[in-house]
Amino acid sequence: MSKKPPLPEDAPSTHPVEEAPHDHHEGSEALQAVKDIAEARKRWKPDAKQIGMGAAIGIGSAAIVAGLLYWRGGKK
């Protein structure tokens, strides 16, 4: 049993039955923005050197943080 109250048969729908038509022509701003983003992604792809440098920097900074956390400061 549903919790919705019963509606008469001729009651209008609260949601549209069909989607409104869209204007997709070549000059639309949204379409141009999507094309620009796609071209920018194609132009910039990291190469192996950049990925290696990023990994080295990440591992090195983690090692420095671990060293600072576990450093005792000359205590005996």
Side-chain angles (χ1 to χ4, degrees):
M1 181 172 260
S2 72
K3 295 183 179 185
K4 293 166 88 176
L7 292 176
E9 292 283 332
D10 59 344
S13 175
T14 57
H15 300 289
V17 177
E18 293 181 10
E19 187 174 346
H22 300 284
D23 293 333
H24 295 293
H25 46 80
E26 290 296 322
S28 70
E29 292 179 29
L31 188 59
Q32 186 62 37
V34 170
K35 286 181 180 179
D36 290 343
I37 291 171
E39 288 177 15
R41 284 186 180 169
K42 287 179 185 176
R43 281 193 309 261
W44 187 81
K45 289 188 178 180
D47 59 351
K49 183 178 179 182
Q50 290 174 331
I51 293 173
M53 285 182 65
I57 291 170
I59 292 171
S61 62
I64 291 171
V65 169
L68 290 173
L69 286 174
Y70 292 110
W71 179 55
R72 291 182 161 198
K75 295 180 183 176
K76 290 188 177 187

